[in-house]
Amino acid sequence: MAPARGARDMSLLEVEGLSKHFVGVTALDGLHLRVDAGEIVGLIGPNGSGKTTLFHCIAGALSPDHGDIRLNGESLLGLSPAAVCGHGVGRTFQLARVFAGLTALENVLAGQSHREESVLAAAVRGSAPTVRRRARELLEFVGLDELAGERGGELSYGQQRLLELAAVLMGEPRLILLDEPTAGVNPVLVDRLLARLREINRSGITIVLIEHNMEAVMSLSGRMYALAMGRTIAEGAPEALRESPAVLEAYFGAGRLSVRR
C-alpha cells in the first residue's frame, strides 16, 4: 500500500506530461509518473521505451522539451545535475561508474555532500573524521569494509555496483534512481544488493529503479510502471502488471511473464 499523501495530494516525485525529442526519435511522449515518499517503484519496458531518458531528465542531465518534474512540489527543470543532487536526488547508471584509480574508501568519500566542510577543505586536508567514519560505515553496510583499501578498478563488477551504491548513499539522498542495478551482477551479490535496497528503503529513502530482472524488480517493488514508446502503458502492483495484456504485448510478446515464487 502506498504511503498516505498530504492534504495537497502531493507526491515526493511528480512527472507531468514529460516529452523529449531527438532527431527523428520521440524518447518521451507526454509521460506521467508519481512516486510517494517511502515507496519502491519499479520501471519496466522494452529497450527504447524511454526509461533511461526519463532518469536523465529527472537528474538534470537532459532538459525535456515539454512537461514538468517536481520534487516535493518544487520544479527541477533547469537545474544542473549537481543542483538536483543537492536537492536530495542520487542515481546510479546502467554501467557501474567508479573511480578506478581511487580506493573503495576514497570512492565513497567522493560522494559526500560536503555539508560539514567545503570541497576545497576536503581536497586540502582530507575529509573530516565524522565524514570518514560515515564512509566506512557505508562500506560495511554494503559488505565491502574489508576492501576499503582496494582500488575501484580492481573490484569485481558486482562489487563495483555495491561501491557505487555506497557512494550515492554518502550524499544523503531522499530519492535514489537506480538504472538496472542487478545487470551483470552474480546471483550471490544480487541477493546482497536487494537486501541492502530493502534496508535503505526501510530507513526512509524512496527508490525508483529500472530493471530487466523481472524476478528482482517484482519482488522489490510495491508499485510499478510499464513504459512503451515513451508513454506509460500500465501502472499498479507487480502482480497486476504481470497479467496486463498491454504489458505482455509490448514487453514480453504473447507469452506470460514467469516469475519464480
Side-chain angles (χ1 to χ4, degrees):
M1 179 181 297
R5 294 175 182 158
R8 294 172 55 197
D9 196 36
M10 183 177 67
S11 296
L12 174 65
L13 176 68
E14 298 172 293
V15 175
E16 298 289 346
L18 208 67
S19 296
K20 180 64 181 178
H21 305 280
F22 301 101
V23 178
V25 176
T26 298
L28 298 173
D29 189 11
L31 187 141
H32 295 265
L33 178 145
R34 295 169 69 96
V35 179
D36 290 330
E39 283 195 291
I40 299 180
V41 174
L43 303 182
I44 62 171
N47 290 333
S49 61
K51 303 182 300 297
T52 296
T53 299
L54 171 62
F55 271 18
H56 286 331
C57 289
I58 295 171
L62 286 175
S63 296
D65 299 320
H66 303 286
D68 197 9
I69 302 165
R70 295 185 296 274
L71 187 72
N72 262 353
E74 182 178 352
S75 179
L76 299 180
L77 295 186
L79 298 184
S80 68
V84 173
C85 183
H87 278 66
V89 180
R91 73 168 298 189
T92 65
F93 296 84
Q94 283 181 308
L95 298 176
R97 295 189 182 184
V98 302
F99 296 106
L102 299 183
T103 67
L105 178 60
E106 290 167 341
N107 266 275
V108 179
L109 288 169
Q112 66 186 280
S113 62
H114 298 284
R115 290 175 187 169
E116 297 189 31
E117 59 187 348
S118 70
V119 176
L120 178 60
V124 171
R125 67 171 180 263
S127 298
T130 54
V131 176
R132 293 183 68 85
R133 184 163 56 249
R134 170 65 174 162
R136 288 191 173 276
E137 289 172 350
L138 287 170
L139 281 176
E140 182 177 4
F141 174 70
V142 298
L144 299 179
D145 47 313
E146 294 183 357
L147 300 174
E150 296 292 324
R151 303 288 179 186
E154 297 171 352
L155 301 179
S156 72
Y157 189 75
Q159 290 169 338
Q160 289 181 4
R161 280 287 193 191
L162 291 164
L163 180 60
E164 183 183 38
L165 177 62
V168 168
L169 291 173
M170 191 68 186
E172 302 178 71
R174 48 182 165 169
L175 169 66
I176 299 179
L177 310 175
L178 303 175
D179 198 341
E180 298 191 40
T182 71
V185 181
N186 73 58
V188 174
L189 287 183
V190 166
D191 289 343
R192 182 193 298 180
L193 176 59
L194 295 181
R196 295 301 175 267
L197 292 179
R198 292 186 180 95
E199 289 186 53
I200 290 166
N201 180 247
R202 285 196 293 269
S203 76
I205 297 175
T206 304
I207 296 173
V208 182
L209 73 153
I210 297 167
E211 186 55 71
H212 282 97
N213 181 332
M214 290 300 107
E215 181 178 340
V217 71
M218 289 194 167
S219 68
L220 194 64
S221 303
R223 197 163 55 85
M224 296 174 61
Y225 285 87
L227 277 57
M229 300 183 68
R231 300 177 180 177
T232 301
I233 60 171
E235 179 263 329
E239 206 44 45
L241 266 67
R242 181 175 181 270
E243 303 294 338
S244 167
V247 173
L248 294 173
E249 176 66 26
Y251 198 126
F252 308 111
R256 286 170 57 89
L257 170 62
S258 176
V259 179
R260 188 177 65 197
R261 307 213 178 213

